Amino acid sequence: MNKWNMIIDVEKCEDCNNCFLSCKDEHVDNEFPGYSLAQPRHGHRWINIMRKERGSYPLIDVAYLPVPCQHCDSAPCIENSPKGAVNKREDGIVLIDPVKAKGQKDMVKTCPYGAIYWNEEKNVPQKCSFCAHLLDDEWKITRCAQVCPTLSLTVLCVTDAEMQREVVSEKLEVYHPEYGTKPRVYYKNLYRYTHCFIAGSIAITIDGKEECADNAEIALIKGDEKYIVQTDTFGDFKVDRLEKNSGKYILEVRYKEKSTTMDVVLTESVNVGVIKL
Ligand code: SF4
């Protein structure tokens, strides 16, 4: 049968917060019997946009990672809460039962993604409901996906086999696969948040003047791994998708008859600065 999935493209998210605000607009002061109680005005972030800065000026970028409930197929919140307090529907959506979950504050701790929030006034844990009340009412889209101007957020109701084909063709990943929770939220370009780069600039001196070395060849070597890139018009280069804390790399630079090497120890993304040949 068809099940719901969400795809989030990290590269397209501009941190405009339309998704967060539309979630508030939909749920604050609005109760949907059988689905969710009203979301409090403050404190809850049913879609939480996390931010990460990489590198340093001028070779720097920022990634935004929207994180709603991942609607896991192996959900720790279901396993570790009183029976029936959290349920997975046949269409993949995970819902907290506001009646059975009443007073169960410890349920907040069961989610490894921090997606469950405590509503002090109503004495219940709450989280993203995938706007199930809208999907059941023929809307076919969540409020957050509907308002995203860059199409960073999309939802898809397909069979698991079709979704796995989408995962392969679009190179989708899940956030924190090591949790083993089988999320139904998939990310594209997740490396922008989870991985690192080594960047820098190459300059050469011609007739006493310093110039940008465009098309210089950069080789980054670590054991059997070798990455080769070229500098752009401004002499800048970037090797991305590296594991953080991955240790020492040898950086080789070749430009016409000139060359140099240097060691770079990678902990987080780094701009090695201007390398002068
Ligand atoms: Fe449960 Fe957290 Fe998974 Fe959502 S992300 S289904 S709250 S464990």
Side-chain angles (χ1 to χ4, degrees):
M1 72 170 288
N2 287 354
K3 296 181 185 176
W4 287 100
N5 307 271
M6 182 174 283
I7 300 174
I8 300 176
D9 190 338
V10 179
E11 210 154 73
K12 287 183 179 169
C13 178
E14 302 279 357
D15 198 26
C16 70
N17 274 264
N18 271 6
C19 55
F20 172 79
L21 292 171
S22 68
C23 180
K24 291 279 173 198
D25 183 54
E26 187 67 23
H27 292 280
V28 170
D29 296 336
N30 292 328
E31 201 167 306
F32 300 105
Y35 298 97
S36 54
L37 296 180
Q39 185 183 138
R41 194 163 291 263
H42 301 289
H44 287 209
R45 302 186 66 85
W46 291 8
I47 184 156
N48 185 28
I49 307 172
M50 303 205 295
R51 301 169 180 94
K52 181 159 191 183
E53 204 174 282
R54 305 190 307 163
S56 58
Y57 179 82
L59 299 175
I60 190 166
D61 67 22
V62 184
Y64 305 104
L65 185 78
V67 183
C69 164
Q70 308 285 296
H71 295 274
C72 313
D73 279 349
S74 286
C77 61
I78 298 178
E79 281 165 38
N80 299 307
S81 299
K83 196 164 171 15
V86 196
N87 300 293
K88 175 164 272 283
R89 305 192 335 170
E90 281 197 339
D91 62 3
I93 295 174
V94 174
L95 289 181
I96 292 178
D97 183 321
V99 177
K100 291 186 180 150
K102 205 164 183 71
Q104 302 293 334
K105 193 168 184 177
D106 279 354
M107 279 173 57
V108 170
K109 297 186 204 147
T110 65
C111 174
Y113 293 93
I116 303 181
Y117 296 84
W118 181 246
N119 184 329
E120 194 67 48
E121 191 198 328
K122 297 194 185 302
N123 198 29
V124 286
Q126 290 181 288
K127 66 165 195 69
C128 156
S129 63
F130 214 103
C131 283
H133 62 290
L134 294 178
L135 302 177
D136 288 353
D137 198 25
E138 306 290 314
W139 265 59
K140 303 299 170 218
I141 191 165
T142 58
R143 280 293 305 274
C144 56
Q146 185 202 27
V147 301
C148 178
T150 62
L151 301 182
S152 172
L153 304 181
T154 50
V155 292
L156 212 55
C157 191
V158 292
T159 65
D160 283 347
E162 285 168 329
M163 191 60 212
Q164 283 319 301
R165 282 199 286 278
E166 188 78 8
V167 166
V168 173
S169 70
E170 291 297 309
K171 299 190 175 68
L172 306 178
E173 296 170 86
V174 296
Y175 185 43
H176 285 307
E178 73 278 12
Y179 291 166
T181 60
K182 301 188 187 147
R184 302 200 73 83
V185 175
Y186 293 88
Y187 290 88
K188 191 167 180 174
N189 297 310
L190 186 59
Y191 75 94
R192 288 282 311 275
Y193 194 87
T194 56
H195 283 66
C196 294
F197 65 68
I198 293 175
S201 308
I202 313 298
I204 45 159
T205 303
I206 301 173
D207 297 334
K209 275 172 52 187
E210 208 165 83
E211 303 276 359
C212 302
D214 63 336
N215 284 321
E217 187 181 287
I218 312 295
L220 191 66
I221 303 157
K222 182 176 192 294
D224 294 338
E225 294 170 46
K226 188 170 186 180
Y227 309 92
I228 295 182
V229 294
Q230 292 192 318
T231 54
D232 63 16
T233 313
F234 305 103
D236 296 338
F237 71 89
K238 184 193 265 185
V239 182
D240 211 330
R241 301 173 195 256
L242 303 171
E243 295 282 344
K244 68 177 177 182
N245 296 316
S246 50
K248 192 171 105 178
Y249 291 80
I250 298 165
L251 184 69
E252 287 181 356
V253 182
R254 284 182 206 287
Y255 183 76
K256 297 183 179 166
E257 72 285 355
K258 296 187 174 185
S259 66
T260 187
T261 64
M262 68 184 286
D263 290 347
V264 183
V265 177
L266 187 64
T267 49
E268 281 284 351
S269 293
V270 62
N271 169 12
V272 298
V274 179
I275 301 169
K276 297 180 183 177
L277 293 175

